[in-house]
Amino acid sequence: PPSVDAASTYMLQYGRFEAMHQQQLEALGLPRSLWRQLYDKITGETFDIGEWVVFSDDDTVKSLAEHTLSLKSEKLEAESNVFLVDHIWTTTVAQELQDLDNVPGLLERMEKLTGIYEPQRNLPAMPDADLLENTVDANVAAVMSQAGVDEARARELLCKAGGDIIEAIVSASEETAPSTVQNSVQSQIMQQLEEGGQGDGPTEWKTRGYECVQYSLDNSAQLDGVDICVAVGAAVHARDVECNVTATHLTVTVSGKVAVDGDLHAEVEANETTWTVEAGVLSVSLVKRKAEYWPEVLVGEHRTDPITHAKHVRRVARDAWRYLQGYDYLARSTDQTLAKRTFWYVADAVGLAVAHDDVPNVRCLPLLYVDAQGQMTPLSILWPIRDITQGTTLVRDVCPAWLTDPQQRQGYLHAIFSGPTQFVLDAHEQLASMWDQTAKDAVRANIATGPTPKLPVNSLFVRDITPDAKAAVAAAGLVLVDAPKDADIVFDDVPCEGRPTNQHSLNAAVYSTENAITAFQRIAGAQSWLSPGFLLKSQICELIGAAIMRNNSWWLLKSDQVVAGVEPQTVLTSNWITAVRHADVGYSAALECTPSMVIGGRLFLVERMVLVTPANGVFVWAAAPRIFQHQIAMDANKPEPYQILPPASEVSEHLFKLQASVQLGSGGATRFDTETEHVIVDAMRLLLGVDSGDGTNFGVFRMRFAIGQGADGAVPVLHEVRPALVAEQLAVSSDFVPSVATVIAGGSDVHWRQIQLPSN
């Protein structure tokens, strides 16, 4: 039995585990009776589910995801055991494509999972007789001239080289002692090689696992050296690599895993082999025993065309989202700021083999284990929630617990298992019809056409006012007070009972846990200036239907998780499956983003500050609009298919007009500004049409517009609308607060321009 000290140490360590993971385990719903067993298995690295289950024995299974698991033991009682499930791949947004391209064996495993395979580019096939004869006829004169041989020998060399003129000349040069002509030939060939005249041709090429380069060790025409370069990642060091070379075979292992293994095309000088690891690349340099051209380095290797391969990797990455699951957490960066980190993983063969069923008998969920040193290890845990008898298939509900609506569950499952699409098209058509009807029935409130004094304003309360703003308030003849109750009007980010404050009743319509654009859409319906948006927790089917109908659209994914001090992340993707899966990690809405909105790798946003007075007057800040941009990672002329947008940064109006000159056209900037104000007043009239406030408070709103493409040129598209925080108002100008007070009191102020449009 363990000693008292050992038992005490164990209980202390378990207590730390429980304190560290209690919130996670409770959220997962793991019974407390299994917590200690889970700790023992994690610390002991006990993956023992294989003792309880067996894979299906079905020869028709074509992919890893088609296997199933059944219980081989006599019985597994509910909540009697917990099992560890490993992850074969954990990645992030930024790493997904790099991982697939560089991690040894990962692309092959994901191909087996997705069933998407890359066409192999084998060694060039020998041309048929007619084609070869034509090639020989075309090149024979050049070989005769450059190699100094007669026609018969030139034809023989070309036939042997499959019509390759360079290889035929090199072969001729090797047969005899060098001559002036032959030295000239060699010099020309070396120049072609050095200039990359053959590109991805005979002297360098790529395979799935490595790149090959043939070259001359002494700057002669003899190809006597060859390098194999393997991307191993920045974390790999020389101590992690083992390289075994014989005269005819090469084996390279990295961190215990085989990276390269195969017979060499011809013999090498094994004792002259060198290798290095630098900048995440392992380079193995081989010296050929006989200087000659190698059509391949390892026997049977398959070359890849870079463009075709890149497209294939993207196809696999796109389909992999059917199997990727996510988890997120908050972590402190080196500068002690909080940041949200989201990881995506694919479970191992056991986790993939647990089939879906609406009536599950197990649960399988991700856990982020943190050891005593703070090292984090992601894995999944599986436990029975019903009694399972021998031979019964293990099944789980792959839908998240919050998803209970039957139709939306069907949409979520469609993102994983695919299938008929008519039901999502029908769902989208119904929602579009509802939006059209909402737009027809929407009530537009009248707005004030002139200043209407509502109350005298002499004193202000402003939360965390800046020194410059204090001076501006004093210059305007207004008095700052220390308490909201003593002020005529209040600038604060929380409501103030009994005093007019910048907490207009419209705030609730656009500032809630629901995304502002989708909330606005429920009020306004389908509007030409409003891009469609879909709630990821209640409009999954409708989103999928829209994505199928408009397959050239991109989607901006917005998160509803509000954490103080943490900048919310926005994801841009062209894959609706990606959009659906992001509902698992707190994203609430998908907003359509057409390609025309992205200009020169930038998503420009034009910001206008809008004031709504208690008397329904609508004013815009008269200064030039502020321009913000999101930098977009581009692939050729299209955005990268999946990326987290960096925070928007402010740019000059000049840069905006310069970059968007084609979209805006001649005089388009002025027209765009005018149409933006038309949208502002229309949007505010629609919001005021459902306003149930008492007309006491005022509101300051920040509205941002993207550039859409209309029939007659660029048009503003409402991208974001929300109440402006007091700090944001103060950042606009030191005169912002006193100028708002002047307008509310019924006066005129040069900083604000009232929008006066007919109410009908």
Side-chain angles (χ1 to χ4, degrees):
S3 65
V4 174
D5 288 345
S8 299
T9 300
Y10 172 85
M11 292 306 299
L12 178 63
Q13 292 172 341
Y14 172 72
R16 290 173 179 166
F17 165 82
E18 185 175 296
M20 180 70 72
H21 300 87
Q22 179 176 350
Q23 187 175 0
Q24 275 195 82
L25 297 177
E26 289 177 347
L28 295 176
L30 181 70
R32 185 173 285 271
S33 59
L34 295 177
W35 288 15
R36 187 169 298 181
Q37 184 183 138
L38 173 64
Y39 170 74
D40 291 340
K41 289 193 176 184
I42 290 177
T43 55
E45 297 184 5
T46 306
F47 291 81
D48 60 343
I49 194 170
E51 300 173 9
W52 292 81
V53 299
V54 63
F55 283 100
S56 59
D57 186 15
D58 187 348
D59 294 336
T60 65
V61 168
K62 297 180 180 179
S63 113
L64 288 173
E66 294 179 4
H67 284 286
T68 58
L69 285 179
S70 59
L71 189 68
K72 68 178 179 181
S73 301
E74 184 175 339
K75 186 177 182 181
L76 181 60
E77 295 181 352
E79 301 183 357
S80 63
N81 209 330
V82 62
F83 303 99
L84 306 184
V85 177
D86 206 356
H87 297 167
I88 62 173
W89 182 27
T90 300
T91 190
T92 63
V93 172
Q95 281 294 125
E96 182 187 14
L97 292 175
Q98 295 179 46
D99 286 352
L100 285 171
D101 213 16
N102 296 328
V103 176
L106 177 61
L107 183 56
E108 287 76 10
R109 297 180 80 169
M110 296 309 297
E111 285 176 330
K112 291 180 181 178
L113 181 60
T114 61
I116 298 174
Y117 294 92
E118 181 176 7
Q120 296 293 345
R121 183 187 177 195
N122 296 318
L123 293 175
M126 291 295 289
D128 59 40
D130 292 339
L131 181 58
L132 178 58
E133 184 177 352
N134 293 336
T135 303
V136 169
D137 289 342
N139 294 333
V140 67
V143 174
M144 291 172 62
S145 172
Q146 297 295 324
V149 297
D150 60 24
E151 181 179 353
R153 184 57 182 150
R155 288 185 177 276
E156 181 183 350
L157 291 169
L158 281 166
C159 289
K160 185 178 179 180
D164 190 311
I165 187 172
I166 298 296
E167 188 173 344
I169 295 172
V170 170
S171 298
S173 301
E174 292 176 346
E175 292 179 348
T176 59
S179 65
T180 302
V181 174
Q182 290 164 347
N183 285 333
S184 174
V185 171
Q186 291 175 349
S187 177
Q188 292 176 36
I189 293 172
M190 281 305 300
Q191 183 178 355
Q192 291 179 17
L193 295 178
E194 291 172 359
E195 293 176 353
Q198 299 186 48
D200 290 329
T203 59
E204 56 182 271
W205 61 84
K206 291 184 178 181
T207 73
R208 274 293 182 83
Y210 51 87
E211 297 183 27
C212 303
V213 180
Q214 294 186 75
Y215 55 93
S216 170
L217 293 170
D218 57 3
N219 294 323
S220 68
Q222 305 298 316
L223 295 175
D224 49 1
V226 60
D227 285 354
I228 296 179
C229 302
V230 184
V232 294
V236 172
H237 302 282
R239 63 177 178 269
D240 304 316
V241 176
E242 184 176 348
C243 184
N244 296 313
V245 186
T246 69
T248 59
H249 195 89
L250 172 65
T251 302
V252 178
T253 59
V254 179
S255 301
K257 297 180 179 179
V258 176
V260 179
D261 184 40
D263 291 330
L264 295 165
H265 172 74
E267 293 186 352
V268 298
E269 300 292 351
N271 60 350
E272 296 184 32
T273 299
T274 60
W275 58 268
T276 60
V277 177
E278 187 175 354
V281 176
L282 165 65
S283 298
V284 181
S285 298
L286 303 171
V287 178
K288 301 175 184 177
R289 184 160 291 178
K290 179 184 178 182
E292 61 181 356
Y293 170 74
W294 283 9
E296 58 184 355
V297 175
L298 298 183
V299 176
E301 70 186 17
H302 294 288
R303 300 182 186 181
T304 58
D305 173 72
I307 296 177
T308 302
H309 180 70
K311 290 180 178 179
H312 171 68
V313 170
R314 292 182 185 278
R315 284 195 297 268
V316 173
R318 182 182 181 88
D319 206 65
W321 279 100
R322 297 187 183 276
Y323 309 98
L324 284 166
Q325 297 174 269
Y327 61 90
D328 61 329
Y329 61 93
L330 293 176
R332 289 201 178 275
S333 303
T334 53
D335 61 358
Q336 296 304 304
T337 58
L338 279 175
K340 178 181 177 180
R341 296 181 179 174
T342 302
F343 286 86
W344 300 91
Y345 70 92
V346 176
D348 65 10
V350 170
L352 290 170
V354 181
H356 166 76
D357 197 288
D358 291 337
V359 184
N361 54 27
V362 300
R363 295 193 75 184
C364 186
L365 296 169
L367 173 74
L368 187 62
Y369 169 64
V370 184
D371 66 17
Q373 288 72 44
Q375 295 295 316
M376 294 181 289
T377 303
L379 68 156
S380 292
I381 56 175
L382 181 150
W383 72 95
I385 58 176
R386 302 177 190 274
D387 291 347
I388 305 174
T389 57
Q390 190 175 42
T392 301
T393 300
L394 271 62
V395 292
R396 66 185 180 112
D397 187 355
V398 301
C399 293
W402 49 261
L403 189 56
T404 57
D405 180 85
Q407 185 184 40
Q408 298 305 321
R409 280 175 58 87
Q410 187 182 4
Y412 185 92
L413 293 172
H414 184 72
I416 302 174
F417 302 113
S418 192
T421 59
Q422 189 58 51
F423 78 100
V424 295
L425 297 174
D426 291 344
H428 172 255
E429 184 178 353
Q430 292 172 10
L431 181 62
S433 297
M434 185 183 76
W435 284 344
D436 289 340
Q437 190 61 47
T438 300
K440 293 177 181 178
D441 298 339
V443 175
R444 288 172 167 81
N446 293 330
I447 61 172
T449 58
T452 305
K454 185 67 176 178
L455 51 90
V457 178
N458 298 306
S459 59
L460 310 178
F461 172 83
V462 184
R463 178 72 64 185
D464 298 328
I465 189 170
T466 63
D468 288 345
K470 277 185 179 181
V473 169
L478 300 170
V479 178
L480 281 173
V481 297
D482 296 329
K485 64 182 180 63
D486 299 325
D488 292 329
I489 61 173
V490 174
F491 291 81
D492 205 345
D493 294 330
V494 295
C496 178
E497 294 292 336
R499 285 289 180 267
T501 182
N502 63 319
Q503 295 293 315
H504 198 284
S505 52
L506 293 183
N507 287 19
V510 297
Y511 196 52
S512 64
T513 56
E514 185 178 349
N515 178 268
I517 296 298
T518 54
F520 198 102
Q521 200 163 243
R522 192 177 59 250
I523 297 169
Q527 301 292 335
S528 61
W529 41 262
L530 188 63
S531 284
F534 302 88
L535 296 174
L536 291 176
K537 293 190 176 181
S538 59
Q539 295 176 331
I540 297 173
C541 296
E542 293 82 352
L543 165 64
I544 298 173
I548 293 173
M549 292 288 291
R550 300 188 290 274
N551 60 11
N552 67 331
S553 288
W554 294 70
W555 303 96
L556 288 166
L557 310 183
K558 301 283 189 174
S559 175
D560 63 4
Q561 293 181 335
V562 179
V563 179
V566 178
E567 182 75 20
Q569 293 180 331
T570 298
V571 170
L572 176 66
T573 180
S574 60
N575 186 0
W576 61 263
I577 301 175
T578 304
V580 172
R581 299 315 296 262
H582 271 72
D584 296 344
V585 289
Y587 285 79
S588 59
L591 309 181
E592 186 174 20
C593 177
T594 59
S596 64
M597 293 182 180
V598 178
I599 303 169
R602 296 175 173 90
L603 175 61
F604 285 107
L605 300 175
V606 179
E607 180 177 283
R608 304 302 298 266
M609 299 296 287
V610 179
L611 169 65
V612 178
T613 69
N616 285 5
V618 179
F619 296 76
V620 294
W621 187 250
R626 299 173 72 188
I627 312 297
F628 294 84
Q629 68 171 13
H630 287 290
Q631 289 283 358
I632 306 294
M634 304 294 287
D635 175 32
N637 294 321
K638 293 182 179 180
E640 286 282 358
Y642 177 46
Q643 55 187 294
I644 292 178
L645 298 189
S649 58
E650 189 167 2
V651 297
S652 68
E653 186 178 17
H654 173 73
L655 175 63
F656 164 65
K657 290 181 178 179
L658 183 66
Q659 290 287 331
S661 58
V662 174
Q663 283 76 9
L664 294 174
S666 178
T670 301
R671 185 178 65 253
F672 186 86
D673 288 343
T674 301
E675 292 187 9
T676 299
E677 293 191 8
H678 292 169
V679 172
I680 289 171
V681 74
D682 196 32
M684 286 304 169
R685 291 180 64 203
L686 286 165
L687 287 173
L688 290 168
V690 296
D691 180 26
S692 58
D694 58 6
T696 300
N697 293 331
F698 61 98
V700 179
F701 299 92
R702 191 182 79 173
M703 301 181 74
R704 287 184 174 180
F705 299 86
I707 301 176
Q709 193 64 40
D712 299 322
V715 295
V717 177
L718 187 61
H719 178 85
E720 179 184 326
V721 53
R722 68 174 180 83
L725 301 175
V726 173
E728 293 173 331
Q729 298 176 42
L730 295 172
V732 173
S733 168
S734 59
D735 293 322
F736 194 93
V737 166
S739 66
V740 169
T742 299
V743 171
I744 292 175
S748 61
D749 191 284
V750 296
H751 294 95
W752 292 99
R753 181 174 66 256
Q754 186 172 15
I755 304 178
Q756 297 188 13
L757 293 178
S759 60
N760 50 15

